[in-house]
Amino acid sequence: MTSLFFMRKLCFSNNRNILLCNRQLKSLTSQKYNFSTWNRQISKFLKKNKGLTLKVIQPIRGTTTDAAIVPFSRQQKIIGTWFFGLAGMCFGAVILGGVTRLTESGLSMVDWQLIKDMKPPRSQAEWEEEFERYKQYPEYQYIIKERDFSLSDFKFIYYMEYAHRMWGRMIGVAFIVPAAFFLSKGWVTRSVQCRLCFNAALLGFQGFLGWYMVKSGLQEQPLPTDVPRVSQYRLAAHLGSAFILYSMFLWQGLTQFIPINNLPNTSQMRKLRIMAHSIKGLTFITAISGAFVAGLDAGLTYNSWPKMADRWFPSDLLAFSPTWKNFFENPTTVQFDHRHLAESTVLLIAVFWYMCRSAPLPPRMRRAVNALLGMGLLQASLGISTLLMYVPTHLAATHQSGSLVLLSLAVWLTHEFRRLPK
């Protein structure tokens, strides 16, 4: 039976040969073999399937489990590194986009042309022409009432938005060119090909959402006193799709490097798996609620914690009619929701961490659990500090970055809970 155990290990060592391994095992286990017969059959199997390698991990002692080891090929590692690079670029785009919004630079480029936008103004005449175009839109009309706004001021916000747009185009190039190469070489499996198609569609849709969002801020406001800003709905959709794209790239990168853990199929493990996915979902929802806070500048309404103006439930919490609008358009309600979603996320992470103490988890999973708790507490501290200090740009940008780091750890954790292939 020891030979059968190693045979099963070998079956998990190459995804392309899982079905072949299952057929071999069925034929072997349908008959009774002695020890020498097992060895002969295994030798024949290895000769037939050259290129398979077997890595044996020493069983982890105490309250941990084995890991099903997959020997990753050179091509898989190259593709995994590429996915990690794309995830890193998406991370940078989110940070750059947050800083662009916080510096109120997002409406400086008033048109969208895929190729022409890649060349910024160079001469004084080109800058003045671009500035005159910007003056025709509501944001400039609002700013000029509050303070002087010179050409040098315009250049700063223009370059911020230009950098954000160019970074997005760089992600597109970094995705399309290597993907075409890997497909031409036949390095990707059919399942990965399907994911690449979805990635490409989402990447294009993300670019469309970016312009669709900016377009909403270029329209005339209902009242002359209204601050020109993009639609909070479109901002949330743009940020949400960026988070999804980032998570997909990160997950696919992890899949090319990290083997599946051979976790026991117990009720305790099933509960932890469900909780891990719940944490990931709640982290994502909390981040999207933060987009509504940013879109409405709701972080400036009540700058106290844990109460809001010495009240647990502010008087204007449900001031809008119909009631559902409060959750998306009332700055007080939006901030209230974001606060309590964040608190619920941290509480759920703490409960999950406590439950994992007695669970038979491998060391790598324990590191993920501990990192998740630490980042959850740090992110909550950043959020409270941002609120109490009236949303300074550097702290708000760090807080937004923290939400993506927390989501990254949640993605890593759920990746560790993957099930073994049947």
Side-chain angles (χ1 to χ4, degrees), residues 128-175:
E128 290 178 355
E129 181 183 355
E130 193 69 34
F131 191 29
E132 289 299 321
R133 189 180 295 114
Y134 173 70
K135 289 179 179 180
Q136 299 173 15
Y137 288 88
E139 185 176 67
Y140 176 79
Q141 302 300 328
Y142 179 84
I143 292 176
I144 202 64
K145 296 176 184 177
E146 303 292 324
R147 59 184 174 88
D148 292 333
F149 192 77
S150 64
L151 180 60
S152 61
D153 296 325
F154 172 71
K155 286 182 178 181
F156 171 78
I157 64 173
Y158 186 94
Y159 275 128
M160 288 296 301
E161 175 64 8
Y162 175 79
H164 183 51
R165 293 194 187 189
M166 291 305 102
W167 190 265
R169 286 169 171 81
M170 285 172 58
I171 296 175
V173 174
F175 174 82

Side-chain angles (χ1 to χ4, degrees), residues 10-65:
L10 184 58
C11 291
F12 287 119
S13 67
N14 193 306
N15 290 336
R16 297 180 179 178
N17 292 277
I18 286 176
L19 294 178
L20 176 62
C21 293
N22 286 337
R23 289 197 296 270
Q24 292 283 347
L25 285 173
K26 286 180 181 179
S27 65
L28 289 173
T29 53
S30 62
Q31 307 176 45
K32 292 184 179 179
Y33 287 84
N34 57 30
F35 183 77
S36 60
T37 304
W38 278 108
N39 288 336
R40 287 198 301 272
Q41 290 293 335
I42 292 173
S43 298
K44 290 180 181 179
F45 179 81
L46 291 173
K47 289 179 181 178
K48 280 185 179 181
N49 298 277
K50 293 181 180 179
L52 288 176
T53 57
L54 178 62
K55 295 181 181 180
V56 179
I57 274 194
Q58 184 180 0
I60 304 168
R61 64 182 181 276
T63 61
T64 56
T65 59

Side-chain angles (χ1 to χ4, degrees), residues 8 19 24 38 72 125 134 180 193 237 283-284 297 303 308 319 348 354 366 410 419:
R8 290 186 182 276
L19 294 178
Q24 292 283 347
W38 278 108
F72 298 105
Y134 173 70
Q193 289 176 15
T283 301
F284 178 79
D297 288 332
N303 298 93
M308 301 174 71
L348 182 60
Y354 182 79
R366 291 200 178 278
R419 298 177 184 272

